[in-house]
Amino acid sequence: MSKILVLYSSPIVEEKSVSTTATKYFLNEYKKNNSNDEIIELDLNDLEMSNNSMNSNNFSVFYNEEFSNKYIELLKDINKVVISAPMINFNVPTVLKSFIDRIAVANKTFSYKYASKGSSIGLLNNLKVQIIATQGAPLGWYQWASHISYLEGVWNFLGATLNETILIDGTKTEPFIKMAAEEVVETKKDIIKKIASVF
């Protein structure tokens, strides 16, 4: 039995969010083959730490606060993480960035000790990570913006194993812009099922 942490980060209400809808669909497919797994779902918008991002007034204590330790311990106690990540203004949502800021802590989730020059050692090698990403523009419209590359890079840096990322792109263009979230996800159900089966 595995323990799964699901992180929702969309600022859009659940019924209209393609990323949230896709993640729920993914979980339903995942449960078909892993019915005994424990699933913990967190909406990062609802966490207290989402209202207190890093700034000059809290920087000296930011990594020592209960939020960092609490979620670092949670990540060390589970096996898999599913990250629901829409692109917002060419990057991950603020609440997801804040969560990463809280858990990317030297000597807790990564270390430079014993690492070769120019590298580090990720300490979250117990994790397998599934990224479920969406973006309004079709893939490649903005060559300088890739929230997927950022997320894959961070979790690789932290030592996690990455499952194939799911991307639903072009949600703000034809034909998706005229479709409900469920209809958009329906067009990607085969790839979602395939990737869920190997997570």
Side-chain angles (χ1 to χ4, degrees):
M1 184 182 85
S2 294
K3 293 176 72 173
I4 318 298
L5 176 64
V6 184
L7 303 175
Y8 297 99
S9 66
S10 178
I12 300 169
V13 293
E14 181 176 325
E15 61 271 15
K16 293 184 178 180
S17 170
V18 176
S19 62
T20 300
T21 302
T23 301
K24 300 273 187 188
Y25 188 89
F26 176 91
L27 289 176
N28 286 334
E29 291 300 318
Y30 177 84
K31 289 175 189 177
K32 290 177 182 178
N33 297 318
N34 304 277
S35 58
N36 292 325
D37 284 7
E38 178 184 350
I39 298 178
I40 303 164
E41 297 181 77
L42 294 178
D43 186 336
L44 297 179
N45 294 283
D46 296 335
L47 302 186
E48 184 180 350
M49 69 172 173
S50 296
N51 297 317
N52 190 17
S53 58
M54 185 191 304
N55 59 65
S56 62
N57 296 312
N58 69 6
F59 185 78
S60 64
V61 296
F62 188 83
Y63 295 110
N64 298 320
E65 293 179 1
E66 62 175 298
F67 301 130
S68 285
N69 292 331
K70 176 181 178 179
Y71 292 105
I72 288 170
E73 290 307 310
L74 178 59
L75 289 171
K76 291 182 176 181
D77 188 48
I78 61 172
N79 310 103
K80 300 178 181 179
V81 180
V82 177
I83 302 170
S84 178
M87 179 187 278
I88 303 294
N89 286 337
F90 314 107
N91 209 328
V92 297
T94 304
V95 293
L96 180 52
K97 177 62 167 67
S98 183
F99 180 85
I100 292 170
D101 285 344
R102 296 282 182 179
I103 60 94
V105 181
N107 301 318
K108 291 185 180 180
T109 56
F110 69 93
S111 176
Y112 298 119
K113 191 175 183 180
Y114 306 121
S116 59
K117 184 177 179 180
S119 68
S120 62
I121 298 171
L123 303 178
L124 293 180
N125 56 2
N126 56 301
L127 295 178
K128 186 173 185 180
V129 172
Q130 175 66 61
I131 298 166
I132 301 173
T134 60
Q135 62 184 58
L139 184 64
W141 269 27
Y142 303 108
Q143 297 292 330
W144 47 270
S146 177
H147 68 313
I148 293 172
S149 293
Y150 165 72
L151 286 171
E152 290 176 344
V154 166
W155 290 98
N156 182 62
F157 174 82
L158 297 175
T161 300
L162 296 170
N163 205 37
E164 180 184 351
T165 295
I166 295 169
L167 171 63
I168 303 175
D169 62 314
T171 62
K172 298 299 183 185
T173 60
E174 297 284 354
F176 291 156
I177 194 168
K178 295 180 179 177
M179 299 165 67
E182 295 84 4
E183 295 174 312
V184 175
V185 172
E186 181 70 17
T187 69
K188 304 292 183 178
K189 66 178 184 180
D190 290 341
I191 189 67
I192 295 173
K193 287 178 180 178
K194 178 183 176 183
I195 294 175
S197 71
V198 297
F199 182 56

